[in-house]
Amino acid sequence: MRLIVTKRVKPVKVGRVDILNVLIPMLSVLIGVLITTLIFYIAGVSPDIILKELFLGFTSPQMVRYFVLLTVLGIALALAFNASVWNIGAEGQMIWGMIAAGYIGLFIASTYMYVSPSELKLYENMSGAVIIDRSPVKPVVSLLNMDPLLGQLLMVLAGVVAGGLWALIPAVLKAYLDIDEVASTLLLNYVAYYLYNQVVSVNLRGLSVQARQFFRTDILHDALRFQSVPGFTVTYQEVLIALISFTAIFLMYKYTSIGLRLKVLGSNPHLLRAVGVDERKYVLLALFLSGALAGAVGASLFAGVTYKLEKITNIVSPPTMGLGYTAILVTWLSMLDLRIIPIFAWIVASLFQSGMLLESEVKSLGITSLTGATISYTLIGSILVTFTIFRIFSEYTIKVRR
Amino acid sequence: MIQIKLLNNDARLACGENILAAKTSSYVLIGLVILIIVAGVVGYYAGSAAAPAITKTVTAPAVGATVTVTRPVTVTAPVTITTQIPYKPPEKVKAAFIYVGPVGDFGWSYMHDLGRRVVAELYKDWLETTYVESVPEPKVSETLESLIAKGYNVLFTTSYGFMEGTLETAKKYPNLIFFHCSGYLRYKNMGTYFADFYQVYYLNGLMAGALTKTGKVGYVAAFLIPEVVRHLNAFFLGAKEVAEQRGIKLEAYVIEIGAWFNPTEARRAAETLVRDYNVDVIAYTEDSTAIIEYAQEMYNKGTPIYVFSHYSPGWEYGKDVVVSGQLVRWEVIYADILGKIKAGVYTPTNLENVDYWYLLNTGAVDMAAHVFPNGTVMHINPKFINVLKEIQVTDKVTGQKLSVYDLIWLRYNQMAYAPMLMSFQQLATSHIYENIASINIGGKEGKYYIATAFEPFTGPLSGYNVDDPTKKVSIPAGVRLGHDELWSLDWVLDFVKIVGRAS
Amino acid sequence: MSVSLFPKETLKSDQKPLISVRGVWKSFPGVVALKNVNLDIFRGEIHAILGENGAGKSTLVKILYGVYVPDSGEIFIEGRKKIITSPIDAMREGIVLVSQVPQLIDSLTISENLLLSLTACGLFNRISSVEKMLLKKSEEYGIKIDPNIEVWKLSYTQKQLVELLRALLVGAKVIALDEALTLLPYAEKRRIYEFVKMFKERGGSVILITHKIPEALEMSDTITVLRRGEVVGTVKASEATLDYVRSLMFGEKATQISYARIATSNVREEVLLDVNDLWVLNDYGAYAVRGVSFKLRKGEVLGIAGVAGNGQLELIQALVGLRKVVRGRILIKQNNTFKDITNASAIQIRRLGVGFIPDEPLKRGVTIENTIVENIAVHPAIVNTIIKWSKVKRIARQLVEEFSIVTPSLNSKVKVLSGGNLMKVLVARELFVTRNLLVAYNPTRALDEVSALMVRKLIKRKAVEEGVAAVVASEDLDEILQISDTVAVMNSGSFVGVFRGEDVNRTVVEGLMVR
């Protein structure tokens, strides 16, 4: 008896969705969980703990923020990947989104100024004013310059533009000089980190004592910060950004010739040129849109998470938390299918969350042989490996022959 | 020329194409799955063999107690419920620690975790602990909330960058207790704590002044922030005190590397100091052992460079070159905080002014090159004791003649002995009393000493601003710098030359 | 235990087929590609498989090569039943497929490419011994080859030769040529014929997939004709005639086939395109077009005859803005004034209602990873920024019917279509968008005779009824003679002869082509 694996010619569909694209991930998560449970069981952690923490991870309200952010980033990357433009530079684009949003939030939407210590009382009850440094020598007050909602909108728009423009650099290099974008986008991430350090510690450096001491900006005015949804850490604005970008990109693909041409750019750029479409402009567009969405995520990291820009002291832990790279994983697992990206954003965000929960749980049990990252990565790794194996079945069919 | 794109569809026609599982006997799939399991198990045991053995931190409830601990899984509801219910100290304190680095870095996070392990064992009857390591700073809120959801009621965050995230979460969960290390933002349920080394650096400086042959000492700084500026000033103050008496005009050089942990840069900075500035004694603030290893290499090559280990004992990495060093004992602070929480002293309503600022007198910091397994501390590497004993100096305070070795211990004892001081070192409001040397209480006692009998940062001192050298600072004779001045110290002594800055 | 249909004792060794296919069925979504196909390939035989576009020729050899697995049916090799599920299996059995697209890695040298194949087939080897083997084989077949040259430097023909040598190195007993010669210029095709004959003389078998009857008659020993997935006949080439094979291929439609000139003509007075002293470089920086001038009137079909590589391609590309013009001018009439479109971008030119049937259909004509509907919607003349899918679908349905494109559905990816149907999608779209001018290069290549004739008639009808002007370059002289109002012969970059369609002399043209 032999098992014969052949390429599937027609997708298994339920309605209009390729059902295997949904079923196989689920199945592999299940099997991955079993494998992890087995490994941990051998290490002395009882299966009910793992299953409980996994369940908590997949339902925890703290996971939602990363689910939302990874969804937007996943869409950003799928947009480029579908056009065969390999944008590895979401990190740098996010960084520029943060800088631009930081500039708007800290210098346009609000103003920081020194006041004399005696004036502090005056500002304490003034609406639109926040005392950000109560230093006895040089107190700093932040004054709101505009409607906070307008300020937030401007921050996101600035992030979008900045992220998009930053992505245009590799786009121009690719479109007009034929320089490979994988290398250029990746390297530009590090350029972005260093420029960010420069900008933060010189150009945008704050007034408060702490900002002077620790290469960083002042802290964002309370009213300009994104508001978190009660019970969650995710903010309303982040959810809105995700909904808008998902809908917009989905409609663009479905109903516009821009979307179609971006797809064709991915499958056959020569055709575009032959039918009279300048394919180089579409390379620019693909990277611009991709960078713009990453920039929006950067803006929401500033206005919703960090509230300040602080010099990166360790290049392996930038304020973007490597989400730009994690999103590559999300996008590939989704097989570049827009509709499936949220599912994998959820799975990946949940796995990281479960890993962290499991880590703290295992440590509280005093099982010290499993340290730190081992726990999270054993979990994430075994599920993803199982998945890549099982994914064969969505593309291949297996028959038994005698 | 016709050039045709290789088509996905037809690429399988090529023999060169690897056809994925084209002919898969059933064994291959099963084999793969087995491989994963085996790899996982092997990886686990390899990991566990390398990991240090640590004792268990949780024990069963006390004998006879029929308590079933159910962990509240739901998120604690914000604000509303807590205000009406009178606060009661938790039956079981569940403390979680959030570290910025891995506990294996043998620096900052490692020492915090050591502290955690001590209190976990000590208070095991009512304390349960856990930790999460390598938490990116922007992720602190999520990490805190996740731990809160698991029922942890006391949360320690141990990096400056966690400050805002911790404060925000503290505001959201007003019935839980938060402690943030190294920051300055506090709230009614969020206190701050820190253990500072500047006195230890001063003692290290005394040794440096005695050991330098070239008259040039160096300092590798992570960042020129007040904490580090304070430490390097103290180090150079000590070095100058001894070197001057040996008839040497001391030169002091500083390089900023712009990272808390960066062995490569740290080593490079040390190399620069030695090569370009003829420095032969180095102190540093950086979380690796790179500089010690470099000094040991130089010693082996016949050029002795002496160093002082930072944060955790470093003698084992350079037995010929580590003179002494700085050692922290966070457990001193953790034991105090957790004890007071259990006793109901610290509640979620009264932490606004709780700010630990622990110095040599508390035992939270120490001068040490090594700690032996039996608990004995090697304060000074014995190899250097004779040299230090041979050099005779005069105590500038008393005029007494003594050896450097004796001077070091005299100063150590002067700074370690201040029974009154500790009372002021736990509250933000009482920091102002720390720099009062003595008060006159009248009667036959007259003068009552409060602070340490000796304080390195006592005038006359003069220096210049780190960022703007034209801004001069001068402290008049007899004036002691207190907590607030030291906390925001942004000037270096006038003989200190900053020869390298990070961006 | 497998049961052989041909017990050994009943067959004499010289009659035993090398490969026999018995009762093979294969279906794709919406289409049954093969219906109960039986086929025998003998040693030392060139076996042609003929059929119209989409008849199942490729599917059949792809089954032999392990790309597809049949739904049912059996394959016997030297009398033993075999299950071939991958090209590697097939190669172990000595079956090698050479397709239209060379499967070589451009950045590697010839010997490195061959080493890869050998390794993949389990014949582990060193690069030096591969070189030795390669030189030995190429000498044997009289081919000059430098094993250390990178593949991207090779011409298409050379690449196909490398593919054939690869087949020899892996020890092929049967080489299947799946339209492998279709894209070759006529002269270079001869070289491959030589090769194939030598291979046959050394005892090898060849399966030749083609839709060209004369090629099959000339080359092969046996011809099997497929129609709509069924074998309709197997004949000895020596006993077959063109008409007989044609009738097998097309059934009753065969009678429609004719190469007579389409006489209807309606050339207007008004000049549409004015090309003046055009000079264009080829990819290697030499002048491929040297001072070509012509005026094209509305409703006129200009046929450019010539041996491939004499500048037709470069001329065509320059006309649609895909190649830079060094000297000269191209003017097009727009609203009664001439507009200079020399070196205008492709988009500007295509906006003027210019249709273009390119030289490399897979590269410039369609995108195989997208659906038929998307392949039509990709043209800017058909859609606006917001796509009205209902409109595009209507157009697509209309074109599919008009051109009888065999497809499971409008939303099938183009890659599932056969080569001919794929070409039809392209031709249909371009004819649809043509309003003023059609520029075409080999517009009916890969089409079977019936389809090709239909396309030619359509071009002609557009010219006659809508006044569209057409520039058609083709290597097929029959095609040129059939549709042209004016015939230009191109040789070494210049027009060496221009004739009126009705009084062109075939022999004269052929003479000028090779002068």
Side-chain angles (χ1 to χ4, degrees):
Chain A
M1 194 188 87
R2 272 173 81 191
L3 287 178
I4 299 171
V5 183
T6 54
K7 195 149 171 111
R8 214 177 264 286
V9 279
K10 71 176 168 192
V12 182
K13 282 194 173 180
V14 168
R16 307 192 63 181
V17 177
D18 188 344
I19 190 70
L20 284 179
N21 273 4
V22 181
L23 269 183
I24 283 168
M26 299 294 161
L27 195 67
S28 45
V29 168
L30 213 68
I31 293 176
V33 167
L34 289 178
I35 293 174
T36 317
T37 315
L38 192 68
I39 295 173
F40 280 67
Y41 181 69
I42 296 166
V45 185
S46 88
D48 62 312
I49 288 180
I50 294 159
L51 296 176
K52 193 188 83 191
E53 299 305 326
L54 267 170
F55 176 76
L56 286 180
F58 275 77
T59 51
S60 121
Q62 289 80 40
M63 161 275 294
V64 179
R65 160 172 279 154
Y66 293 94
F67 157 55
V68 170
L69 295 182
L70 282 174
T71 303
V72 183
L73 287 171
I75 294 167
L77 296 188
L79 198 66
F81 291 0
N82 270 319
S84 283
V85 178
W86 308 107
N87 179 13
I88 315 295
E91 282 282 303
Q93 292 140 19
M94 282 156 80
I95 286 280
W96 277 100
M98 290 185 85
I99 295 175
Y103 176 73
I104 299 288
L106 299 165
F107 291 88
I108 307 291
S110 66
T111 309
Y112 291 80
M113 58 178 202
Y114 287 123
V115 295
S116 72
S118 56
E119 287 170 328
L120 269 187
K121 271 266 173 289
L122 193 71
Y123 289 103
E124 218 141 53
N125 299 316
M126 190 199 271
S127 71
V130 171
I131 301 163
I132 63 154
D133 184 2
R134 290 177 180 274
S135 139
V137 196
K138 280 169 133 188
V140 178
V141 166
S142 168
L143 294 171
L144 205 59
N145 288 343
M146 56 176 73
D147 183 67
L149 281 179
L150 178 66
Q152 290 174 348
L153 184 69
L154 284 182
M155 281 194 275
V156 175
L157 286 181
V160 163
V161 172
L165 289 179
W166 183 250
L168 273 186
I169 300 173
V172 169
L173 292 177
K174 179 184 170 66
Y176 295 97
L177 298 172
D178 205 17
I179 289 169
D180 183 48
E181 77 283 6
V182 175
S184 61
T185 50
L186 179 64
L187 291 175
L188 279 169
N189 285 346
Y190 294 92
V191 177
Y193 293 153
Y194 284 107
L195 286 175
Y196 168 90
N197 272 359
Q198 176 69 17
V199 168
V200 163
S201 52
V202 180
N203 311 65
L204 300 185
R205 199 159 177 188
L207 299 177
S208 61
V209 173
Q210 298 305 324
R212 302 311 298 170
Q213 286 171 356
F214 296 87
F215 307 92
R216 52 164 260 208
T217 65
D218 283 322
I219 193 148
L220 185 66
H221 193 292
D222 289 8
L224 291 168
R225 300 181 188 175
F226 288 177
Q227 290 83 35
S228 58
V229 180
F232 293 86
T233 50
V234 70
T235 60
Y236 288 108
Q237 288 85 343
E238 284 162 333
V239 175
L240 206 64
I241 289 173
L243 286 177
I244 292 176
S245 45
F246 186 86
T247 319
I249 302 301
F250 187 78
L251 292 179
M252 187 190 81
Y253 269 128
K254 206 164 162 62
Y255 293 110
T256 73
S257 56
I258 297 170
L260 176 64
R261 285 173 199 162
L262 284 174
K263 264 202 273 181
V264 173
L265 178 65
S267 45
N268 189 357
H270 304 284
L271 172 65
L272 284 186
R273 171 164 282 203
V275 297
V277 174
D278 189 347
E279 85 279 8
R280 291 172 298 192
K281 291 206 179 100
Y282 281 83
V283 171
L284 301 190
L285 186 72
L287 266 169
F288 180 85
L289 288 178
S290 187
L293 288 183
V297 174
S300 50
L301 279 183
F302 167 72
V305 184
T306 65
Y307 311 135
K308 61 177 190 275
L309 305 176
E310 187 162 12
K311 189 174 167 182
I312 303 167
T313 56
N314 186 351
I315 211 76
V316 298
S317 61
T320 49
M321 297 174 279
L323 287 177
Y325 300 123
T326 313
I328 298 175
L329 179 72
V330 171
T331 313
W332 270 118
L333 290 175
S334 320
M335 304 184 207
L336 313 189
D337 187 335
L338 214 56
R339 293 164 301 180
I340 297 173
I341 283 172
I343 298 177
F344 276 100
W346 174 59
I347 290 176
V348 170
S350 301
L351 285 178
F352 274 98
Q353 177 71 12
S354 305
M356 194 271 284
L357 291 173
L358 191 61
E359 190 183 326
S360 64
E361 191 67 21
V362 168
K363 279 165 188 165
S364 79
L365 293 175
I367 297 172
T368 48
S369 50
L370 293 162
T371 55
T374 332
I375 298 168
S376 308
Y377 287 109
T378 309
L379 180 73
I380 296 166
S382 38
I383 289 175
L384 294 184
V385 166
T386 329
F387 172 69
T388 42
I389 294 171
F390 273 77
R391 196 160 76 168
I392 296 168
F393 300 122
S394 76
E395 292 213 22
Y396 295 85
T397 154
I398 295 184
K399 287 180 188 167
V400 182
R401 284 232 159 191
R402 253 176 256 274
Chain B
M1 195 184 87
I2 304 167
Q3 203 182 20
I4 289 181
K5 200 181 154 197
L6 204 84
L7 302 170
N8 255 354
N9 188 33
D10 289 344
R12 284 167 288 124
L13 302 186
C15 180
E17 174 80 357
N18 179 17
I19 286 95
L20 190 62
K23 191 175 69 178
T24 313
S25 66
S26 43
Y27 301 115
V28 176
L29 261 179
I30 296 164
L32 266 172
V33 174
I34 290 172
L35 196 74
I36 296 164
I37 298 171
V38 169
V41 172
V42 167
Y44 156 65
Y45 277 108
S48 63
I54 304 169
T55 45
K56 216 176 165 199
T57 52
V58 178
T59 49
V63 185
T66 52
V67 190
T68 36
V69 183
T70 40
R71 288 194 189 118
V73 174
T74 45
V75 180
T76 317
V79 196
T80 47
I81 45 160
T82 50
T83 40
Q84 294 92 353
I85 303 165
Y87 175 79
K88 250 178 68 191
E91 197 67 35
K92 189 141 188 143
V93 176
K94 293 187 68 179
F97 293 72
I98 296 181
Y99 306 139
V100 69
V103 295
D105 69 358
F106 284 90
W108 181 260
S109 298
Y110 174 73
M111 294 309 282
H112 277 284
D113 197 52
L114 197 70
R116 177 192 68 83
R117 282 152 55 199
V118 172
V119 290
E121 179 63 22
L122 196 62
Y123 294 152
K124 60 187 171 191
D125 291 343
W126 49 267
L127 177 67
E128 194 177 303
T129 68
T130 192
Y131 66 93
V132 182
E133 59 189 317
S134 300
V135 174
E137 289 182 351
K139 234 176 169 167
V140 67
S141 305
E142 274 81 14
T143 312
L144 281 170
E145 296 214 3
S146 307
L147 290 165
I148 291 165
K150 299 188 86 179
Y152 287 92
N153 48 23
V154 177
L155 298 117
F156 294 94
T157 54
T158 66
S159 171
Y160 175 76
F162 292 155
M163 184 163 66
E164 273 91 6
T166 310
L167 179 63
E168 202 164 276
T169 316
K171 286 178 176 168
K172 227 167 144 180
Y173 296 95
N175 52 348
L176 302 179
I177 290 176
F178 295 80
F179 270 89
H180 176 239
C181 180
S182 79
Y184 60 93
L185 290 180
R186 279 177 294 278
Y187 198 61
K188 58 184 193 230
N189 61 335
M190 171 181 169
T192 49
Y193 62 98
F194 197 63
D196 199 82
F197 278 143
Y198 77 91
Q199 293 168 330
V200 182
Y201 269 107
Y202 164 78
L203 296 172
N204 291 162
L206 293 176
M207 301 171 210
L211 292 173
T212 178
K213 293 195 175 65
T214 61
K216 297 170 177 78
V217 292
Y219 194 97
V220 177
F223 292 96
L224 289 179
I225 57 167
E227 179 193 340
V228 181
V229 169
R230 186 161 74 225
H231 294 168
L232 69 91
N233 277 335
F235 177 70
F236 290 137
L237 268 177
K240 193 181 178 207
E241 188 177 331
V242 174
E244 264 179 352
Q245 301 204 35
R246 291 173 58 211
I248 295 169
K249 192 173 180 309
L250 188 84
E251 289 175 35
Y253 297 97
V254 176
I255 291 180
E256 182 194 30
I257 58 168
W260 292 112
F261 181 84
N262 190 337
T264 328
E265 277 300 310
R267 187 188 168 99
R268 217 161 65 190
E271 283 170 3
T272 309
L273 287 172
V274 170
R275 191 183 57 230
D276 297 352
Y277 298 98
N278 202 17
V279 159
D280 64 352
V281 186
I282 299 173
Y284 62 90
T285 313
E286 194 266 340
D287 282 344
S288 76
T289 52
I291 293 181
I292 300 176
E293 282 156 17
Y294 162 70
Q296 184 67 41
E297 276 171 38
M298 290 299 280
Y299 179 89
N300 297 344
K301 283 184 201 159
T303 327
I305 307 293
Y306 301 118
V307 292
F308 298 89
S309 65
H310 177 65
Y311 237 92
S312 47
W315 174 72
E316 284 183 321
Y317 298 94
K319 294 186 177 169
D320 299 308
V321 292
V322 173
V323 185
S324 178
Q326 315 96 43
L327 168 75
V328 72
R329 293 190 191 102
W330 291 110
E331 53 275 23
V332 173
I333 294 179
Y334 288 140
D336 193 66
I337 291 175
L338 287 164
K340 284 176 176 165
I341 289 171
K342 178 63 186 162
V345 177
Y346 289 159
T347 74
T349 51
N350 65 6
L351 301 180
E352 191 127 33
N353 286 315
V354 173
D355 178 33
Y356 284 72
W357 164 253
Y358 269 19
L359 303 176
L360 196 56
N361 60 310
T362 65
V365 294
D366 206 346
M367 166 180 84
H370 186 58
V371 180
F372 292 101
N374 66 3
T376 315
V377 174
M378 179 207 285
H379 292 286
I380 302 174
N381 186 343
K383 195 183 158 204
F384 298 97
I385 290 179
N386 281 339
V387 187
L388 297 174
K389 279 183 176 165
E390 276 162 20
I391 301 170
Q392 289 295 312
V393 287
T394 313
D395 178 357
K396 66 177 179 181
V397 182
T398 60
Q400 182 195 353
K401 287 246 180 223
L402 71 183
S403 74
V404 174
Y405 185 75
D406 291 337
L407 179 69
I408 292 163
W409 281 111
L410 175 66
R411 293 281 186 260
Y412 183 96
N413 289 325
Q414 283 172 329
M415 292 189 286
Y417 181 77
M420 184 71 188
L421 191 56
M422 209 156 150
S423 338
F424 305 132
Q425 287 173 321
Q426 293 184 2
L427 294 172
T429 44
S430 56
H431 285 322
I432 49 168
Y433 306 112
E434 284 173 30
N435 54 340
I436 299 173
S438 63
I439 51 170
N440 198 335
I441 53 167
K444 66 174 170 34
E445 294 83 4
K447 223 175 182 183
Y448 181 87
Y449 287 91
I450 291 173
T452 53
F454 177 84
E455 166 59 43
F457 285 106
T458 306
L461 297 169
S462 58
Y464 62 92
N465 188 286
V466 172
D467 293 317
D468 181 5
T470 58
K471 266 201 239 164
K472 304 288 179 202
V473 181
S474 109
I475 308 296
V479 172
R480 280 186 177 199
L481 298 187
H483 169 273
D484 292 349
E485 291 96 331
L486 291 174
W487 184 257
S488 56
L489 200 73
D490 58 354
W491 52 273
V492 293
L493 297 164
D494 47 16
F495 64 93
V496 174
K497 293 191 185 71
I498 298 168
V499 292
R501 289 217 65 169
S503 78
Chain C
M1 265 301 289
S2 65
V3 183
S4 171
L5 279 177
F6 300 96
K8 272 174 193 164
E9 56 271 26
T10 65
L11 277 171
K12 285 172 195 154
S13 63
D14 58 325
Q15 286 173 330
K16 192 169 83 178
L18 183 60
I19 300 176
S20 60
V21 174
R22 286 289 167 269
V24 162
W25 288 75
K26 175 76 190 171
S27 61
F28 293 111
V31 179
V32 180
L34 294 177
K35 295 174 196 159
N36 193 22
V37 167
N38 296 310
L39 182 73
D40 287 317
I41 311 278
F42 292 89
R43 248 189 213 94
E45 158 184 80
I46 300 181
H47 194 126
I49 298 179
L50 276 168
E52 60 183 333
N53 298 134
K57 310 179 292 269
S58 289
T59 310
L60 181 56
V61 279
K62 280 179 182 165
I63 282 175
L64 287 178
Y65 194 50
V67 176
Y68 299 138
V69 175
D71 297 338
S72 64
E74 286 155 340
I75 295 165
F76 299 88
I77 292 167
E78 290 173 331
R80 287 167 177 274
K81 184 181 163 180
K82 298 278 178 188
I83 296 169
I84 302 172
T85 59
S86 80
I88 293 172
D89 283 358
M91 271 185 244
R92 291 214 183 97
E93 303 295 345
I95 304 170
V96 180
L97 179 71
V98 177
S99 69
Q100 221 169 51
V101 188
Q103 307 292 321
L104 297 167
I105 298 168
D106 272 351
S107 54
L108 298 183
T109 66
I110 293 175
S111 36
E112 283 163 348
N113 263 291
L114 295 181
L115 182 67
L116 273 182
S117 310
L118 293 180
T119 315
C121 299
L123 305 162
F124 293 98
N125 240 311
R126 279 173 305 131
I127 198 96
S128 56
S129 54
V130 169
E131 270 171 35
K132 229 179 271 167
M133 283 161 70
L134 179 64
L135 287 173
K136 192 172 147 248
K137 282 287 176 198
S138 53
E139 208 171 300
E140 193 182 321
Y141 280 82
I143 298 167
K144 273 186 205 148
I145 204 156
D146 174 6
N148 291 318
I149 198 163
E150 281 94 6
V151 164
W152 61 267
K153 293 178 182 163
L154 302 180
S155 73
Y156 178 70
T157 316
Q158 287 170 320
K159 283 184 193 175
Q160 291 295 57
L161 276 171
V162 173
E163 286 271 32
L164 290 170
L165 284 171
R166 164 151 73 188
L168 296 182
L169 289 201
V170 300
K173 287 182 236 162
V174 181
I175 299 180
L177 300 171
D178 183 7
E179 303 270 8
L181 314 179
T182 310
L183 297 181
L184 293 177
Y186 183 72
E188 308 199 328
K189 230 181 246 186
R190 312 284 334 169
R191 281 175 75 186
I192 311 277
Y193 285 174
E194 301 276 304
F195 180 96
V196 166
K197 281 183 178 147
M198 287 171 85
F199 180 66
K200 178 189 156 188
E201 278 160 22
R202 285 164 175 73
S205 307
V206 174
I207 303 174
L208 181 71
I209 304 280
T210 179
H211 60 269
K212 291 197 170 136
I213 302 169
E215 187 174 89
L217 286 173
E218 183 192 341
M219 285 294 298
S220 61
D221 304 312
T222 315
I223 296 174
T224 293
V225 180
L226 284 180
R227 177 140 46 100
R228 296 194 193 115
E230 287 177 276
V231 175
V232 289
T234 300
V235 289
K236 285 244 171 301
S238 51
E239 295 160 10
T241 64
L242 189 134
D243 283 335
Y244 175 64
V245 175
R246 197 179 264 165
S247 67
L248 280 178
M249 259 173 93
F250 297 106
E252 65 280 12
K253 277 188 292 179
T255 52
Q256 300 166 10
I257 296 168
S258 150
Y259 285 91
R261 200 177 111 77
I262 303 168
T264 47
S265 177
N266 182 9
V267 180
R268 281 71 154 175
E269 281 309 304
E270 196 187 341
V271 171
L272 178 78
L273 187 71
D274 182 359
V275 176
N276 194 0
D277 190 28
L278 207 63
W279 291 73
V280 182
L281 295 173
N282 65 13
D283 286 341
Y284 310 104
Y287 278 107
V289 178
R290 302 162 162 268
V292 166
S293 303
F294 63 89
K295 281 193 170 65
L296 194 63
R297 289 163 295 171
K298 287 198 167 176
E300 180 176 0
V301 178
L302 169 68
I304 301 176
V307 175
N310 274 293
Q312 303 98 310
L313 188 58
E314 286 81 0
L315 172 63
I316 293 284
Q317 288 176 344
L319 288 180
V320 290
L322 290 177
R323 190 173 282 275
K324 199 167 167 282
V325 173
V326 181
R327 223 169 82 194
R329 287 205 307 170
I330 307 169
L331 302 175
I332 193 165
K333 190 93 160 247
Q334 178 79 2
N335 303 328
N336 289 324
T337 50
F338 276 102
K339 190 178 170 191
D340 191 347
I341 55 162
T342 320
N343 286 332
S345 68
I347 187 157
Q348 286 170 307
I349 294 171
R350 301 300 296 274
R351 279 207 186 115
L352 302 172
V354 176
F356 174 48
I357 298 172
D359 49 309
E360 290 170 71
L362 291 176
K363 184 172 170 188
R364 296 204 177 86
V366 289
T367 162
I368 57 164
E369 290 293 331
N370 296 76
T371 65
I372 295 181
V373 176
E374 285 173 332
N375 264 282
I376 287 166
V378 77
H379 203 289
I382 294 174
V383 292
N384 296 319
T385 307
I386 304 294
I387 299 179
K388 286 205 189 75
W389 283 113
S390 55
K391 183 187 144 198
V392 178
K393 273 197 177 144
R394 205 169 55 235
I395 296 170
R397 197 169 300 120
Q398 176 200 328
L399 294 176
V400 163
E401 276 166 26
E402 192 178 344
F403 285 79
S404 46
I405 296 170
V406 182
T407 172
S409 84
L410 291 180
N411 284 320
S412 303
K413 286 193 175 173
V414 167
K415 68 177 177 190
V416 309
L417 302 186
S418 75
N421 281 308
L422 181 149
M423 185 76 191
K424 283 185 194 172
V425 171
L426 157 66
V427 173
R429 181 189 69 213
E430 291 302 327
L431 286 177
F432 180 80
V433 298
T434 303
R435 294 278 172 273
N436 282 321
L437 175 66
L438 174 72
V439 179
Y441 189 85
N442 281 344
T444 63
R445 176 179 49 202
L447 297 187
D448 59 56
E449 287 175 286
V450 171
S451 310
L453 185 62
M454 185 193 73
V455 168
R456 286 180 210 127
K457 282 182 175 160
L458 263 173
I459 294 175
K460 197 71 184 175
R461 200 172 74 202
K462 275 212 159 258
V464 172
E465 290 174 10
E466 298 173 31
V468 165
V471 181
V472 179
S474 179
E475 286 164 41
D476 183 351
L477 190 53
D478 290 330
E479 176 164 276
I480 298 289
L481 298 179
Q482 193 170 20
I483 60 168
S484 304
D485 295 306
T486 311
V487 174
V489 183
M490 201 163 178
N491 193 338
S492 308
S494 315
F495 281 180
V496 292
V498 179
F499 307 93
R500 282 161 56 82
E502 51 266 38
D503 45 45
V504 61
N505 180 318
R506 189 185 180 102
T507 330
V508 174
V509 171
E510 277 174 343
L512 286 170
M513 277 165 67
V514 295
R515 191 183 61 181

